[in-house]
Amino acid sequence: MDLEKRPQPGGASRRGQGEQKPYAEAEIRASDADRDRIAEILRDALAEGRLTPEEHSERIDAAYAAKTVGELEPIVRDLPARRSAPAAEPAAAPLPVAESSTPGHNVVAVFGGATRKGRWRVGPRTNAFACFGGIEIDLTEAVFEQRETVINVVAVFGGVEVKVPENVTLRGSGAGIFGGFEVKTHESEDPDAPVVVLTGAAIFGGVDAKPRRGKRVARLQR
């Protein structure tokens, strides 16, 4: 008997156990930078007329709800990649600050109230959570450092009120579950005006967003 040629039990399976398939890129968790990149492509597509405001709002919601890189790419699959503006045309940029150094804001009210108002720098994303409480977010004197600002609101047995200047574009799409989610949409006549997008949900609560008449934001020059 030739015992040396007899295969070792489980030898093939042990060799297979040492081999690991590469992790698919599409399954990698998406970062805030990945979501912001998709938002920039959607913003350009809206400005060029490739998307309607409703389509833009739906895709923005999907982008910021995406968990993986694979969920982000289909959102802009039918859109051209974002192109940088030529260096010879600096005046084409709507705002002088290309990238905001201001972090996102979190406003929380639980069995109480919270207010964000006055002269403050608005980050690219603000999260507001009201539970048995009320929140007021007033942007009428705020400084906008980027073209688009997303405000994600969750109101549970509470209320959130958002005010924007009358010359700022206001868009929104949210859900009212035994509650109300009301956004008085408004398109600014200035194509370079900041854009505020409201998303989220009101559960046994209320969300109200509208322009404030008589309040206007001036374009920053520095």
Side-chain angles (χ1 to χ4, degrees):
M1 297 176 61
D2 189 357
L3 298 179
E4 294 181 357
K5 295 182 179 180
R6 181 177 300 175
Q8 296 294 327
S13 62
R14 282 196 298 269
R15 286 193 302 269
Q17 289 176 0
E19 300 175 359
Q20 295 183 354
K21 295 182 178 180
Y23 201 69
E25 183 179 355
E27 298 176 6
I28 296 176
R29 300 284 292 191
S31 66
D32 288 341
D34 293 328
R35 298 185 184 92
D36 291 340
R37 176 178 60 84
I38 298 299
E40 289 291 333
I41 295 176
L42 295 175
R43 187 201 73 184
D44 290 346
L46 177 64
E48 295 170 357
R50 300 179 189 273
L51 294 177
T52 66
E54 292 76 14
E55 290 172 331
H56 175 267
S57 180
E58 291 175 0
R59 297 195 188 196
I60 279 289
D61 290 345
Y64 282 104
K67 297 293 190 299
T68 65
V69 174
E71 295 175 5
L72 286 173
E73 294 306 325
I75 299 174
V76 294
R77 183 173 295 163
D78 59 344
L79 299 174
R82 181 169 178 257
R83 298 179 298 274
S84 301
E89 300 179 3
L95 292 176
V97 181
E99 295 183 2
S100 173
S101 59
T102 305
H105 298 277
N106 295 316
V107 186
V108 180
V110 179
F111 290 98
T115 302
R116 197 73 173 91
K117 62 191 302 184
R119 191 71 171 175
W120 60 293
R121 294 186 178 274
V122 183
R125 186 174 180 86
T126 296
N127 299 308
F129 176 72
C131 181
F132 291 98
I135 293 176
E136 178 187 1
I137 299 177
D138 190 340
L139 303 175
T140 56
E141 298 181 8
V143 177
F144 292 87
E145 290 190 328
Q146 62 284 318
R147 173 73 186 280
E148 185 171 276
T149 297
V150 177
I151 302 179
N152 185 57
V153 177
V154 176
V156 182
F157 290 100
V160 177
E161 182 181 12
V162 179
K163 301 174 183 177
V164 303
E166 64 177 357
N167 61 336
V168 166
T169 293
L170 176 62
R171 303 179 186 137
S173 63
I177 305 173
F178 295 102
F181 197 103
E182 299 182 6
V183 179
K184 189 174 182 180
T185 58
H186 172 71
E187 293 291 328
S188 174
E189 297 179 357
D190 184 353
D192 293 337
V195 178
V196 177
V197 180
L198 213 71
T199 64
I203 306 171
F204 290 100
V207 175
D208 181 41
K210 59 186 178 182
R212 186 174 177 184
R213 300 303 177 189
K215 291 291 186 177
R216 301 177 65 86
V217 62
R219 185 184 302 176
L220 296 181
Q221 299 300 326
R222 58 183 182 275

